[in-house]
Amino acid sequence: MNQDQSDRLDVVLVSPRNPLNIGAAARAMANFGFAHLTVASPYAPHWREARSAVGAPDLLQNARETESLAEALTHCTLIAGTGTLTYRKPEQRVVALPALAPLVQRELARGGRAALVFGPEKHGLTREDLSYCHLLVEIPTDVRQPSMNLGQAVAVCLYELSSRIGPTEAPGNAGHASVPLPTEATERAPALRTPHALSATLDRLAELIEQTMVAAGYSPAAMQTANRHDLRLLLRRLPLAEPDTRRLLGLFRRILWRLRQF
Amino acid sequence: MNQDQSDRLDVVLVSPRNPLNIGAAARAMANFGFAHLTVASPYAPHWREARSAVGAPDLLQNARETESLAEALTHCTLIAGTGTLTYRKPEQRVVALPALAPLVQRELARGGRAALVFGPEKHGLTREDLSYCHLLVEIPTDVRQPSMNLGQAVAVCLYELSSRIGPTEAPGNAGHASVPLPTEATERAPALRTPHALSATLDRLAELIEQTMVAAGYSPAAMQTANRHDLRLLLRRLPLAEPDTRRLLGLFRRILWRLRQF
């Protein structure tokens, strides 16, 4: 992975608790050449303590802080949540960690921006958190002790990305030729030489479609939370590029406007 | 890696200081399915504290404790020391971590026993420690922050071994066919379908050769420490199997006996 590419990978920690783990995550980032850390809805005192620790690397001082996970991801185009499958039935594509590098590399080679998301120590990412992710990355661990320490999980994932991704040619055309990729139907779609849509755009689109559902009386109010969740998952499963989403946004804005005229 | 194989891999920590790091190393072992931990010349209070920590995994309770690194390794046939090349000029073969798995797998498939050795937090393995190792494994880290946290280094190495080594066939003949290996002259030697010699045997041979050197007046007393070090390195660079070492032991015993008659 070249410098330009590792500069377009964000590590996102969701509500980390233990300052030592936050420090360990930052250290692993420095070890493997990644600089962009975001902490989403942190516990203020723990986060202050981690940040002010003696010897905390620069990237911890410069870390971004956001109120929500959605806000942390707005500018990303490929989002991978980490976790184990032991306690969960995944709702998105699952990728074993050793297979992650080519997917990330392709998105970075197209000029996209990737995020690797880690949940809180106690329970990991929630179903809601994962609905913002295109992929669930599974670290292959022993069934008798599947759950990893946060700092160690970050180290293992970043080691995998930095050691598996070789130097690539210029964005736009080279990534495809040099990286062997798993065959899947979506990869043949014409939009795929450009990066995926921004997370923020998908959120805007989901919101608009939801308003349209409500305006059209599509489903009872009690179903709205479930619909919102499913919509978020659906939009991340589709290989939508920015031009696609602009078209869809225009369409739904128009529909909504018409619906509200009745 | 199958159960039988991971049961023949030892993780050896040399004089670890921080009980949290010892615990983290043990947890990573449990995550990746390894059970055999040895702690060589530990600091007694830190080691006691780590061992008695709440929630310490069984493998920490059952860890072996030895006075020296040599003693920790006696029954091993392939020993890989970990470290960075940033501050050192290696005296043994260097293998980047992503290339380690096939080497370990081959030795395990032959029925050998491997050890992965980690140095103390502050300075890593010494030159003396490394003289007991066949290989120096380098984790590819960023030059600006090359030195990893102990628990994270253990996690990354064990992830690499457990995720790269596929299931193998029975020992003795299958490993060779299924694993693509780096070509090197030594691999063509006839002895190599059997495991390497035990570390203890190499130590015994080195001691005998040293006595022979002294008895033969080979070099001044001031050189003995340097000679011992070089001998240890040499014996680990050669692809010696147990039958080879038995022959050599017999030869040097005979020579020594003759020399002492004069």
Side-chain angles (χ1 to χ4, degrees):
Chain A
M1 195 181 278
N2 60 36
Q3 187 64 49
D4 166 60
Q5 292 186 337
S6 45
D7 272 350
R8 281 183 287 116
L9 188 132
D10 288 347
V11 172
V12 181
L13 306 182
V14 180
S15 308
R17 267 282 184 191
N18 184 336
L20 291 176
N21 286 340
I22 303 174
R27 179 159 174 185
M29 290 178 65
N31 285 145
F32 294 114
F34 297 93
H36 301 291
L37 175 65
T38 304
V39 180
S41 55
Y43 297 101
H46 304 80
W47 175 224
R48 257 199 312 276
E49 186 183 335
R51 218 164 182 170
S52 60
V54 178
D58 285 353
L59 70 93
L60 196 51
Q61 311 289 344
N62 301 332
R64 255 174 87 217
E65 185 184 331
T66 61
E67 279 189 24
S68 68
L69 176 58
E71 191 190 335
L73 300 172
T74 49
H75 56 307
C76 296
T77 61
L78 178 66
I79 299 156
T82 57
T84 158
L85 291 180
T86 313
Y87 311 115
R88 107 168 63 237
K89 209 171 138 286
E91 299 179 297
Q92 46 284 107
R93 181 176 169 197
V94 177
V95 173
L97 178 57
L100 179 64
L103 300 176
V104 170
Q105 174 161 48
R106 182 176 49 189
E107 188 64 14
L108 296 179
R110 281 177 192 148
R113 186 172 187 102
L116 207 50
V117 186
F118 297 86
E121 290 91 335
K122 214 156 189 174
H123 52 69
L125 295 172
T126 62
R127 187 168 162 257
E128 160 91 6
D129 293 336
L130 281 172
S131 72
Y132 290 96
C133 301
H134 298 88
L135 311 168
L136 170 59
V137 179
E138 196 196 7
I139 306 179
T141 47
D142 195 280
V143 286
R144 292 162 295 183
Q145 177 72 275
S147 161
M148 285 194 75
N149 162 276
L150 176 58
Q152 290 175 309
V154 172
V156 163
C157 290
L158 296 183
Y159 162 73
E160 177 63 45
L161 288 182
S162 75
S163 73
R164 298 295 151 197
I165 297 188
T168 46
E169 299 165 58
N173 58 7
H176 280 273
S178 59
V179 186
L181 293 170
T183 315
E184 45 169 337
T186 56
E187 304 307 350
R188 286 191 285 272
L192 286 188
R193 309 305 284 249
T194 55
H196 285 108
L198 294 173
S199 193
T201 312
L202 296 180
D203 287 343
R204 208 153 58 235
L205 183 57
E207 200 188 324
L208 190 60
I209 297 178
E210 196 188 340
Q211 289 167 357
T212 310
M213 284 173 162
V214 172
Y218 166 77
S219 61
M223 287 298 293
Q224 281 175 24
T225 307
N227 283 340
R228 191 180 305 140
H229 181 85
D230 291 347
L231 203 54
R232 221 157 33 215
L233 287 171
L234 170 67
L235 290 175
R236 278 161 179 84
R237 204 160 55 230
L238 303 175
L240 293 171
E242 280 289 318
D244 303 321
T245 57
R246 277 198 295 275
R247 214 164 296 130
L248 288 170
L249 281 168
L251 172 64
F252 278 98
R253 275 195 199 107
R254 178 81 201 172
I255 295 172
L256 191 58
W257 177 78
R258 292 292 289 177
L259 285 171
R260 283 176 177 166
Q261 292 207 307
F262 294 117
Chain B
M1 195 181 278
N2 60 36
Q3 186 65 51
D4 166 59
Q5 292 186 337
S6 45
D7 272 351
R8 281 184 285 116
L9 189 133
D10 287 347
V11 172
V12 181
L13 306 182
V14 180
S15 307
R17 266 281 184 192
N18 185 335
L20 291 176
N21 285 340
I22 302 174
R27 179 159 174 185
M29 290 178 65
N31 285 144
F32 295 114
F34 297 92
H36 300 291
L37 175 63
T38 304
V39 180
S41 54
Y43 298 100
H46 304 80
W47 176 224
R48 256 199 313 277
E49 186 183 336
R51 218 164 182 168
S52 59
V54 177
D58 285 354
L59 70 93
L60 196 50
Q61 313 287 344
N62 301 333
R64 256 175 87 217
E65 185 185 329
T66 61
E67 279 189 25
S68 68
L69 176 58
E71 192 191 334
L73 300 172
T74 49
H75 57 308
C76 297
T77 61
L78 178 66
I79 299 156
T82 57
T84 158
L85 291 179
T86 314
Y87 311 114
R88 102 168 67 236
K89 210 172 137 288
E91 299 180 296
Q92 47 284 108
R93 182 176 170 197
V94 177
V95 173
L97 178 57
L100 180 65
L103 301 176
V104 169
Q105 174 161 48
R106 183 176 47 189
E107 187 64 15
L108 296 179
R110 281 176 193 150
R113 185 170 187 101
L116 207 50
V117 186
F118 296 86
E121 290 91 334
K122 212 154 190 175
H123 53 70
L125 295 172
T126 62
R127 185 167 165 259
E128 160 90 8
D129 293 337
L130 281 172
S131 72
Y132 289 96
C133 301
H134 298 87
L135 311 168
L136 170 58
V137 179
E138 197 198 6
I139 307 178
T141 47
D142 195 280
V143 286
R144 291 161 296 183
Q145 175 73 277
S147 162
M148 285 194 76
N149 163 276
L150 176 59
Q152 290 175 310
V154 173
V156 163
C157 290
L158 296 183
Y159 162 73
E160 177 63 45
L161 288 182
S162 75
S163 73
R164 298 294 151 197
I165 297 189
T168 45
E169 300 165 61
N173 58 6
H176 280 272
S178 59
V179 187
L181 293 169
T183 315
E184 43 168 342
T186 56
E187 303 308 349
R188 285 190 286 271
L192 287 189
R193 310 304 284 249
T194 56
H196 285 110
L198 294 174
S199 193
T201 313
L202 296 180
D203 287 343
R204 207 153 60 234
L205 183 56
E207 199 187 324
L208 190 60
I209 298 179
E210 196 187 339
Q211 289 167 357
T212 310
M213 284 173 163
V214 172
Y218 165 77
S219 61
M223 287 298 293
Q224 281 175 26
T225 307
N227 283 340
R228 190 179 308 138
H229 181 85
D230 290 346
L231 203 54
R232 220 154 39 213
L233 287 171
L234 170 67
L235 290 175
R236 279 162 179 83
R237 202 160 56 229
L238 303 175
L240 293 171
E242 281 288 320
D244 304 321
T245 57
R246 277 199 296 275
R247 214 164 298 133
L248 288 170
L249 281 168
L251 171 63
F252 278 98
R253 275 195 199 108
R254 178 82 201 172
I255 295 173
L256 191 58
W257 176 79
R258 293 291 289 175
L259 285 172
R260 284 177 175 165
Q261 291 205 308
F262 294 118

